[in-house]
Amino acid sequence: MIALELLLATLAFALFGFATHEHHRKRLGRPLEPARARRLRVAAWVALAAAFPPAIVSHGWVFGPIEWAGSVMLGAGIIFLALNFLPDRKAQ
């Protein structure tokens, strides 16, 4: 359950990252339309919310939200490092 929770939180922040014009253009090599950005943001929020139930199942209502918050922070950190420090499409 913890792996699923972390995977969903990381996916959410990857979607948030690709919903920004700069990262979308640098990483995917194409411009970002407003409708696509909106869909990416909605999908990111859904993934973030979907990461909450596995945390509750694995650690209950007392420590589950704490674990979820930790997974959210770890997922955000992983994607921050990946988007900002891995070479982009233009560098290849």
Side-chain angles (χ1 to χ4, degrees):
M1 284 294 175
I2 295 172
L4 175 63
E5 171 191 347
L6 181 60
L7 180 68
L8 286 169
T10 305
L11 172 67
F13 281 98
L15 292 170
F16 278 135
F18 287 126
T20 62
H21 296 284
E22 185 65 24
H23 287 303
H24 196 86
R25 184 184 53 76
K26 280 174 55 178
R27 298 291 172 184
L28 300 179
R30 58 183 173 204
L32 178 64
E33 301 86 25
R36 183 171 179 84
R38 190 171 29 261
R39 285 193 308 269
L40 286 169
R41 278 190 225 106
V42 167
W45 281 111
V46 168
L48 206 53
F52 191 72
I56 299 303
V57 168
S58 64
H59 288 293
W61 283 102
V62 175
F63 293 109
I66 297 167
E67 179 186 325
W68 177 78
S71 292
V72 166
M73 288 187 283
L74 182 59
I78 290 168
I79 295 302
F80 173 82
L81 293 173
L83 287 177
N84 291 304
F85 295 113
L86 291 177
D88 59 352
R89 187 172 260 254
K90 289 189 291 187
Q92 296 174 349

